[in-house]
Amino acid sequence: MKYSQRALSISASPTLAIDALAKKLKESGENVIGFGAGEPDFDTPENIKYAAIAAIVKGYTKYTPVAGIACLKEAVAKYYNENYGISYSADEIVISNGAKHSLMNVFFALLNEGDEVLLPSPYWVTYPELIKLAGGKVVVVPTQKESNYKVSGRDLQKYITSKTKTLVLNSPSNPTGMVYTYEELKEIVELCIQNEIFIISDEIYDKLIYDGQKHISPASFGEKAKELTIIVNGVSKSYAMTGWRIGYTLSNRELAKIMTNLQSHTTSNPNSIAQYAAYEALSGPQESLKKMVEEFAKRRDLIYELVNEIEGLSSVKPQGAFYIWVDLSGVIGKSFNGKVIDSANTFAKLLLENEKVAVVPSEGFGMENHMRLSYATSVQNIKEGLARIKRFVEKLK
């Protein structure tokens, strides 16, 4: 049988694969510590859960408008106006089944066969797969540790061609936790305006920022920047609602209409109950969010300190999200029980087999010799997990 070549070209998510393997080992009785999960370990706040229950009781269980219920759109618009000074109308907002679905809508609405998408690495593992599914061509723009794994306008300029259609930016970043500054974004936005390049701005971690850093959206740099920017966000990360599957886009009106039409024939509307829960998340009390950010900041400080105490490992201190990007170049080439560590994949495999610690190797993120650790786990797990990693590294020869 002949299947779709485009579908066959898509690989499974390595982050979800690592998480699934760790869970399988735990179920078999192994004491596994997992640093792979890309979701908060906190429960969804009570007020949000009760809002969902109320929606069920009130009978809000039918189809909704394809692009989302009016009150949720209004809450999204208010959120961006109050926090970032950007004004959007309801017909410029599309609510979808999670931010991943929002991204899929964006790529399918924007790309024609062979259109080039600038993708700074390291990048979230799903971006290249969605680009390929939509018929686009991934153009990887490498970054360096010395630049905090961030891309500059000068870097991007080298990769722009007549086929360049869009740029993907993720700030705060998964996997590095880095946050773009106003000056860095200004240079990038000006370049995109000059070359009529769309900016897909993934802002899913916008509220998980530390040390007084501020999130800046590319859409805030004037009307032309707003017209070319498609913001992707959602409630999954900031409100511990990964399973509720509500994401959204803010874009120009024409593109929003295209994405609404696309969504109408793929998933119809997002889950009605989850939409009312998301409305409560954005419009209700924010104390739970503040507490989560405070706790993540403490964990970030701890894991950063413990990582950099291990000889051969190093990292740049994350500024947001809940990941730390660890440089393994100091241990590449060494061996464990006669097995040479020739890649991050090999390091991760041997670490899981011998110390029962699950990490995500960097190959799926478009960069060699690194690993991603999520600190969306307990302080106890962070301490024990890093102790095991240190023990493993000290055995290397």
Side-chain angles (χ1 to χ4, degrees):
M1 297 178 68
K2 294 185 177 180
Y3 300 106
S4 163
Q5 289 302 309
R6 184 172 291 178
L8 288 171
S9 72
I10 304 304
S11 58
S13 167
T15 54
L16 294 180
I18 288 289
D19 196 42
L21 179 57
K23 288 176 180 176
K24 185 177 180 180
L25 287 171
K26 284 181 181 179
E27 289 170 0
S28 67
E30 298 282 4
N31 180 18
V32 176
I33 294 179
F35 289 110
E39 63 178 346
D41 57 321
F42 304 102
D43 193 11
T44 303
E46 292 295 305
N47 62 304
I48 297 173
K49 292 192 285 188
Y50 284 123
I53 294 169
I56 295 172
V57 172
K58 292 176 182 177
Y60 297 155
T61 57
K62 308 297 183 183
Y63 289 128
T64 75
V66 169
I69 57 178
C71 65
L72 179 53
K73 285 186 167 192
E74 290 169 6
V76 169
K78 183 179 180 182
Y79 176 81
Y80 265 84
N81 192 16
E82 290 184 349
N83 287 276
Y84 307 119
I86 318 170
S87 297
Y88 286 94
S89 59
D91 57 356
E92 294 174 313
I93 297 168
V94 179
I95 312 297
S96 301
N97 300 281
K100 189 179 286 190
H101 181 213
S102 295
L103 281 165
M104 188 168 186
N105 282 345
V106 174
F107 287 124
F108 273 78
L110 271 182
L111 299 180
N112 292 307
E113 197 73 30
D115 282 346
E116 294 178 353
V117 180
L118 301 179
L119 186 60
S121 70
Y123 45 71
W124 180 45
V125 297
T126 294
Y127 293 140
E129 308 306 323
L130 289 179
I131 292 165
K132 288 186 288 184
L133 269 177
K137 179 182 177 183
V138 177
V139 178
V140 175
V141 183
T143 65
Q144 307 298 323
K145 186 178 182 181
E146 293 70 26
S147 62
N148 290 335
Y149 304 106
K150 291 188 281 188
V151 73
S152 69
R154 294 182 299 279
D155 297 328
L156 293 169
Q157 182 71 64
K158 303 171 189 175
Y159 293 87
I160 294 175
T161 72
S162 60
K163 293 183 178 180
T164 304
K165 186 68 164 287
T166 187
L167 161 70
V168 178
L169 278 181
N170 178 207
S171 177
S173 163
N174 174 8
T176 68
M178 292 296 107
V179 176
Y180 280 88
T181 66
Y182 178 91
E183 291 75 18
E184 290 166 340
L185 277 177
K186 187 173 185 291
E187 180 187 12
I188 292 170
V189 169
E190 288 176 351
L191 178 70
C192 289
I193 289 175
Q194 291 168 8
N195 292 274
E196 289 286 328
I197 296 171
F198 286 100
I199 303 169
I200 300 172
S201 182
D202 186 344
E203 305 181 8
I204 193 68
Y205 298 98
D206 69 322
K207 284 301 181 187
L208 303 181
I209 295 184
Y210 321 113
D211 302 331
Q213 292 278 333
K214 291 185 178 180
H215 172 71
I216 308 292
S217 175
S220 65
F221 288 84
E223 283 303 312
K224 185 61 177 178
K226 180 186 170 187
E227 181 185 339
L228 288 173
T229 300
I230 304 96
I231 295 171
V232 178
N233 207 329
V235 295
S236 294
K237 312 297 184 178
S238 297
Y239 299 97
M241 294 176 67
T242 51
W244 297 76
R245 310 314 303 140
I246 293 293
Y248 55 82
T249 57
L250 304 98
S251 67
N252 67 57
R253 189 171 287 104
E254 183 179 10
L255 189 57
K257 183 178 180 180
I258 295 170
M259 290 191 287
T260 300
N261 290 340
L262 180 64
Q263 187 162 291
S264 72
H265 291 291
T266 51
T267 64
S268 297
N269 60 273
N271 180 287
S272 61
I273 307 306
Q275 287 188 72
Y276 285 98
Y279 169 74
E280 174 64 20
L282 291 174
S283 62
Q286 301 296 303
E287 288 305 311
S288 295
L289 169 60
K290 292 177 183 177
K291 290 178 181 178
M292 279 192 276
V293 173
E294 289 172 1
E295 180 60 26
F296 278 139
K298 292 176 184 176
R299 296 177 186 179
R300 184 278 311 258
D301 291 343
L302 174 64
I303 199 168
Y304 173 72
E305 178 184 347
L306 294 175
V307 163
N308 286 280
E309 285 178 354
I310 301 174
E311 187 175 353
L313 306 188
S314 64
S315 83
V316 178
K317 195 171 188 177
Q319 300 166 319
F322 38 70
Y323 310 106
I324 187 166
W325 189 237
V326 182
D327 185 354
L328 299 174
S329 57
V331 298
I332 297 296
K334 293 186 176 183
S335 61
F336 181 84
N337 290 342
K339 296 180 181 178
V340 176
I341 297 178
D342 54 3
S343 67
N345 271 331
T346 301
F347 180 91
K349 183 174 183 291
L350 290 172
L351 178 64
L352 183 58
E353 289 174 351
N354 292 278
E355 291 291 349
K356 302 301 181 287
V357 177
V359 303
V360 187
S362 62
E363 281 81 355
F365 297 92
M367 182 172 276
E368 296 181 342
N369 302 339
H370 288 71
M371 65 177 175
R372 191 193 78 175
L373 305 181
S374 167
Y375 49 91
T377 187
S378 69
V379 167
Q380 181 181 349
N381 280 347
I382 291 171
K383 289 180 178 179
E384 173 62 22
L386 268 293
R388 294 184 190 183
I389 293 174
K390 184 177 183 180
R391 186 167 62 214
F392 175 74
V393 170
E394 288 176 345
K395 293 177 182 178
L396 303 180
K397 298 179 180 180

